[in-house]
Each structure stands twice: as structure tokens, then as C-alpha cells.
Amino acid sequence: MQAVKFFKKNLLILLILIFSLPVYAGTLYKTNVVASYYAEAFHGKKTSNGETFNMNALTCAHKSLPFNTVIKVTNLKNGKTVNVRVNDRGPFVIGREIDLSKAAAIKLGMIGSGTTKVKLEIEKMGPNTKASQQTAAKAQKMMNALIASKGGSKTTKTTSAVKVKTDSSKLQPGTKWNIQTGAFSSKDNANKQAQKILKAGIKNVVFQTVKSTGVVRVVIKEVPAEQVHDIETKLQKISITDYTVKLVK
């Protein structure tokens, strides 16, 4: 009789422990989605949850998952995995699902390409706090505006990438790239865009005049390969989505 009571008591404890485990552990969230990474340009700046971004920590930006959610990210090209914690919002680029810290990108072997297709699994769901909800709503609003500016519906869900001429496969360490953000017949309009880019914290913005036509190009000069995707993210945040990235030879 005492053995039965002991069994029942311990069975109850066991059931409580089982049902108190996170229900999201190992749950598939999304697969075949695009991951990018951000690094030096944002290192030391505030993240959306108020932390200081550390590119050497295993964190990530996601537009909707609650802060402190832990995600297992698998690079579908090479099978490498890493667990990251959500502490920021983004990426604000159409077609990209998650923005990883540089440390996470290194573990996934995606530094050279800059972006890669991944599988996302929820290891631990963070609490859906008011801050998480508010920042997620703001992120969705920003994406709606971005989609609308590209001619889509504000409620349209899209998986198409922004049509730029970046060749991510060639973003090898040690290379430098020029990013042309616009070409204007008016120097005043070119200057307005340049000032907008400078205010976003992007440096080395220059004008290039085409003598035969008088067209003024706005160019971000000689961007190191490892900073190209950081610059792209900043451009997306200020609604500059039509740009060309060319290797400096």
C-alpha cells in the first residue's frame, strides 16, 4: 500500500515536471528563409529591447518573435547550426527573415556570402511582453511602408528579395565595394539624398558627375565586404531600396 502511495506521489511530481517544460523546444518555425547578418556598423548601439548590440554575442534581430526567444538556426547549405537569442527588430529588407550577429554568422559559415537560406526552430519562446508587442507592431508598420513603396499592398506577404545587383557570392574578405544609391539630373536632389544617407550614419558618400549627360550619381565609396550588408540594412531603414553594388577593381 505504501509503495502504491509512493508511486502515485512521484508520478504526480513527474507529470508536473513534464508539463512545465517549454512547449516550443525544437518546434519548427520556418524553413528555406533568408538570413543575413549585421556587424561593425551597429556594434555598440542600442538594440530594440534596450541592450547594447555586441556583434560578438550570439543574438539576432527578428521582426515579430518576442524578445529573449531562443532560435536554433541551421544553414541549409552546409548543415551548420547555432542558437541565437532575439534582442532586436529587423531585418528591414523584403525577403529576409532574420538578421544574425557577426558571431552567429561565423558559426554558420556565411560571412563570405552575407546571406543564406536557413531553417529556424524555436528552442525557447520568450515572454510576450508589452515591449515585444509594441516593437513588433512598429516593425510590421515599417515593412508595410517598404512593401508599399515597392508597389505592393500593405497587407501583402512577400518572399521576393529586393532587386539589387549585389553579388553576395563575391563579397570576399579584403574586397571593397561601391554602392550607387541614385542618379539625378538635379544636383540639389542628389544632395538631398546624400544628406539623408549621412544622417543615417553612413560615411564616404560622394558625387560622381557623368560629363556626357550631366547626371549626378550618389555613391558610397569603397565599403569593405564585411560592411556591405550593414550598409544595405541602413539604406532599407531610410527607404532607399533601389541601389547597385559594384566591386572596386
Side-chain angles (χ1 to χ4, degrees):
M1 191 71 177
Q2 298 232 350
V4 173
K5 287 183 179 180
F6 178 81
F7 175 77
K8 286 183 178 180
K9 181 180 178 182
N10 284 278
L11 178 62
L12 179 61
I13 294 172
L14 180 62
L15 289 173
I16 291 171
L17 288 173
I18 290 173
F19 286 105
S20 66
L21 290 173
V23 297
Y24 292 98
T27 301
L28 178 64
Y29 177 62
K30 289 185 179 181
T31 190
N32 203 35
V33 292
V34 178
S36 52
Y37 75 91
Y38 60 136
E40 284 83 1
F42 293 88
H43 187 68
K45 295 184 178 180
K46 291 292 183 183
T47 61
S48 296
N49 75 342
E51 294 179 12
T52 299
F53 176 62
N54 179 1
M55 67 180 183
N56 300 311
L58 297 177
T59 59
C60 71
H62 190 273
K63 289 182 281 290
S64 60
L65 286 172
F67 293 134
N68 294 318
T69 294
V70 177
I71 309 170
K72 179 181 179 181
V73 185
T74 302
N75 186 340
L76 295 178
K77 290 184 178 180
N78 57 26
K80 293 182 178 181
T81 66
V82 65
N83 281 9
V84 293
R85 179 177 61 87
V86 179
N87 71 342
D88 206 359
R89 291 297 178 219
F92 298 105
V93 179
I94 298 173
R96 294 186 189 176
E97 178 68 23
I98 190 170
D99 223 359
L100 304 167
S101 65
K102 186 175 182 179
I106 290 172
K107 285 187 175 293
L108 290 181
M110 57 174 285
I111 291 293
S113 61
T115 61
T116 191
K117 290 290 185 69
V118 297
K119 177 175 69 174
L120 305 179
E121 297 171 273
I122 304 298
E123 292 295 302
K124 178 184 176 183
M125 185 67 82
N128 195 20
T129 62
K130 185 176 181 180
S132 288
Q133 293 174 19
Q134 289 177 337
T135 53
K138 184 177 179 181
Q140 185 59 57
K141 186 176 180 180
M142 290 175 67
M143 287 306 298
N144 287 343
L146 178 58
I147 292 169
S149 73
K150 298 296 290 183
S153 167
K154 286 188 176 183
T155 57
T156 299
K157 291 183 179 180
T158 179
T159 56
S160 61
V162 176
K163 294 181 179 178
V164 296
K165 297 180 181 179
T166 310
D167 188 349
S168 295
S169 65
K170 294 182 180 179
L171 290 176
Q172 299 300 322
T175 59
K176 291 189 176 182
W177 299 75
N178 287 340
I179 304 176
Q180 180 179 312
T181 60
F184 303 88
S185 57
S186 165
K187 181 69 178 287
D188 287 340
N189 288 338
N191 187 56
K192 286 179 182 178
Q193 188 187 73
Q195 292 302 317
K196 185 177 181 180
I197 295 169
L198 288 168
K199 286 180 181 179
I202 300 171
K203 299 178 181 180
N204 297 332
V205 182
V206 301
F207 297 124
Q208 294 179 344
T209 303
V210 181
K211 292 182 180 180
S212 59
T213 62
V215 169
V216 181
R217 295 171 178 167
V218 180
V219 180
I220 306 167
K221 289 203 68 178
E222 299 187 352
V223 179
E226 61 270 19
Q227 295 180 22
V228 168
H229 291 293
D230 288 342
I231 298 296
E232 286 186 295
T233 300
K234 283 190 173 185
L235 291 174
Q236 295 293 334
K237 286 184 177 180
I238 56 175
S239 300
I240 296 178
T241 59
D242 188 9
Y243 50 86
T244 303
V245 183
K246 292 183 179 180
L247 178 66
V248 177
K249 297 181 179 179

